[in-house]
Amino acid sequence: MYTADPSGTSLDLFWNEPLKPNGVIDEYLIYLGVNPIFRGVSNSFTYRLLTPFTDYELYLQACTSAGCTNGELQVITTAEITPDNQNEPLLETLGSSSIRITWQPPLNPNGNIIRYIIYRINPDSTQSQVHTVLNTTLRTFIDTGLLPFSTYQYAITAENSVGLIQSDFASQQTDEGVPEGISPPTVQATLPTEMQIQWLPPA
């Protein structure tokens, strides 16, 4: 039994008549474990509604009026397809200039995840690629050098050998920081015994 170009969700199975049928083949059966998934006289069958990138153990059985013979057990793997259902990351503020980003794999990886990419929307609405994670067992990153008391948005992209999926953006605000950029006040004498002092907010 063999398969041609397995897709992520189906297997097109084909087989030849036994080299020594020793009679008329009355039917073929294909088993998944102990459960028959096909019974008939044709030499092909499409097995559908499968899970991508998953091993299936199958064997073929050929029957004559005298009885049945089993073929060898075969392990056939469905193909990878684009990952699906990547949840948005969890965000945690770490002071006035840092945010921790944590995420989980997609609910349906549909293959081996080979990298994660972190995207950020800045307070001025520009978007940037912040970091690429090649060690996919590490699913946390601390983004530093941010502006105090500012809102940032983050999304996670998960990629396998076929394609990628991006999560929705999640928002988080940094903490307030101490004031910076304080200019000296201006002082002007208005009366012999009075002065006017003026200053600007921190830049």
Side-chain angles (χ1 to χ4, degrees), residues 123-177:
D124 62 1
S125 298
T126 59
Q127 182 171 317
S128 56
Q129 180 177 318
V130 176
H131 189 63
T132 298
V133 180
L134 298 178
N135 182 353
T136 56
T137 61
L138 300 177
R139 295 188 296 273
T140 187
F141 175 74
I142 297 177
D143 193 16
T144 60
L146 306 178
L147 296 175
F149 202 52
S150 300
T151 299
Y152 292 87
Q153 301 178 61
Y154 294 89
I156 299 295
T157 293
E159 183 178 349
N160 63 18
S161 65
V162 179
L164 50 84
I165 181 69
Q166 182 170 297
S167 73
D168 292 334
F169 280 88
S171 299
Q172 190 75 4
Q173 187 179 62
T174 53
D175 289 340
E176 293 187 40

Side-chain angles (χ1 to χ4, degrees), residues 39-85:
R39 182 191 296 266
V41 296
S42 69
N43 293 82
S44 64
F45 169 65
T46 299
Y47 189 22
R48 305 181 189 278
L49 302 177
L50 305 181
T51 301
F53 202 61
T54 301
D55 291 338
Y56 290 88
E57 296 185 348
L58 306 170
Y59 68 89
L60 177 67
Q61 186 179 79
C63 300
T64 67
S65 59
C68 300
T69 299
N70 296 338
E72 294 183 0
L73 182 69
Q74 292 181 259
V75 178
I76 302 176
T77 304
T78 49
E80 291 191 53
I81 64 173
T82 301
D84 195 19
N85 292 323

Side-chain angles (χ1 to χ4, degrees), residues 105-122:
L107 298 178
N108 306 111
N110 297 331
N112 288 321
I113 299 301
I114 57 177
R115 68 174 60 88
Y116 294 102
I117 302 173
I118 303 171
Y119 290 94
R120 180 183 71 205
I121 297 178
N122 301 303

